[in-house]
Amino acid sequence: MKITALTSFCVDLFPELDKVYVGGNSLNFATQCKLSGYKNISVIGAVGKDSFGKQIENQLDKLNINRSRLYQIDEPTASNKIFINEKGDRYFKEDSWNGGAFDKFRLSENDWNSLANSRIVAMPAGDPNLKELLKRRNEKQLVVIDFLDYFKIDFIKEHIDKIDIVFLSGKEEMLDELQELSSQKGKLIVPTLGAKGSIALSENKRYYQKAIEVNKIVDTTGCGDAFQAAFSIEWLNTKDIEKSLIEGSIAASKILNFIGGVEQE
């Protein structure tokens, strides 16, 4: 089974720790798929011709993830400044994100053609290639989109018809409206609620999963990406929502034990 993640690759900068870690939704998603035992994992995207881009390439090579379509372009590698509070929760400031190569990259015709045999295709909703992906997707693909925590429900409504699983970092006050949208469109919507666990909305039902407790939360960066990858794989294989929630929660809990979205040390 081929899985492709696109196109979010960045470095996570932790100013308070004076540390730099590779990350981005797509790198984190691809890494979890690899850790789940799948070999045919590919990425599509771009990094800069700089040391940060090289770090990302090295991480993908270490995991034997196919990066033949990860391009070097004349833009800085995307970066994100991350701060961590006393509870281990990450937070951002207004100038945290520098889109760089991520903002500028567009898939070529050959890139789009290479996606045809991908069984799972994953992308964050902020990707500038989103509309084109949804226009070109085929019915054999499981297309999963992460709407993060800063896209409004109207934006989800605009795109949901061509999406198989909608992921987002949700709030409990959103659940009724999301449930209505799920029922209206016949779509699987999966909000994660941090320490309160996760919920899957499908066919007028709500499936709850408690967060798995860990001894100490070091950093929450990348938990959602790991959750999404593990959930998507289990859902594709079994169509069992409850089991998918459990697998997602297990994967997310492991990310809490180290700094950054993937273990690098």
Side-chain angles (χ1 to χ4, degrees), residues 37-49:
Y38 289 84
K39 295 180 179 179
N40 193 3
I41 313 299
S42 298
V43 298
I44 302 177
V47 295
K49 299 175 181 178

Side-chain angles (χ1 to χ4, degrees), residues 233-250:
I233 288 170
E234 185 62 36
W235 168 250
L236 184 64
N237 288 332
T238 68
K239 296 299 188 291
D240 187 321
I241 292 178
E242 292 178 331
K243 194 171 181 182
S244 300
L245 284 169
I246 292 171
E247 291 301 316
S249 298
I250 292 171

Side-chain angles (χ1 to χ4, degrees), residues 32-69:
Q32 180 59 46
C33 292
K34 198 72 177 184
L35 295 176
S36 297
Y38 289 84
K39 295 180 179 179
N40 193 3
I41 313 299
S42 298
V43 298
I44 302 177
V47 295
K49 299 175 181 178
D50 49 34
S51 62
F52 290 160
K54 191 63 179 173
Q55 283 181 250
I56 290 170
E57 291 175 345
N58 289 341
Q59 179 69 15
L60 293 168
D61 289 345
K62 185 170 75 173
L63 295 171
N64 198 26
I65 292 171
N66 185 340
R67 63 171 180 88
S68 60
R69 295 185 181 276

Side-chain angles (χ1 to χ4, degrees), residues 118-235:
S118 292
R119 196 67 180 88
I120 298 176
V121 179
M123 177 184 277
D127 195 310
N129 298 277
L130 175 65
K131 287 186 177 181
E132 192 67 18
L133 169 66
L134 299 183
K135 184 171 74 173
R136 289 173 176 259
R137 64 152 302 170
N138 66 58
E139 293 307 312
K140 295 181 180 180
Q141 293 171 330
L142 183 76
V143 173
V144 302
I145 305 296
D146 179 11
F147 284 83
L148 306 162
D149 59 356
Y150 48 84
F151 288 102
K152 297 184 182 299
I153 290 180
D154 285 345
F155 187 76
I156 299 175
K157 290 178 180 178
E158 182 183 345
H159 297 91
I160 194 171
D161 288 333
K162 293 290 186 177
I163 299 171
D164 297 302
I165 305 178
V166 169
F167 290 107
L168 71 154
S169 298
K171 297 179 181 178
E172 289 180 293
E173 57 265 30
M174 302 168 62
L175 294 180
D176 287 343
E177 190 172 1
L178 289 170
Q179 182 83 68
E180 183 179 349
L181 178 61
S182 171
S183 301
Q184 178 187 356
K185 297 292 187 177
K187 297 289 184 176
L188 178 56
I189 300 178
V190 186
T192 53
L193 303 172
K196 295 183 178 180
S198 55
I199 298 174
L201 310 173
S202 176
E203 297 180 352
N204 292 313
K205 294 181 181 179
R206 293 187 188 182
Y207 300 82
Y208 288 86
Q209 172 62 43
K210 292 181 179 180
I212 294 175
E213 293 186 10
V214 298
N215 291 331
K216 181 182 179 181
I217 297 175
V218 177
D219 176 25
T220 58
T221 302
C223 286
D225 305 325
F227 176 97
Q228 292 164 25
F231 183 103
S232 299
I233 288 170
E234 185 62 36
W235 168 250

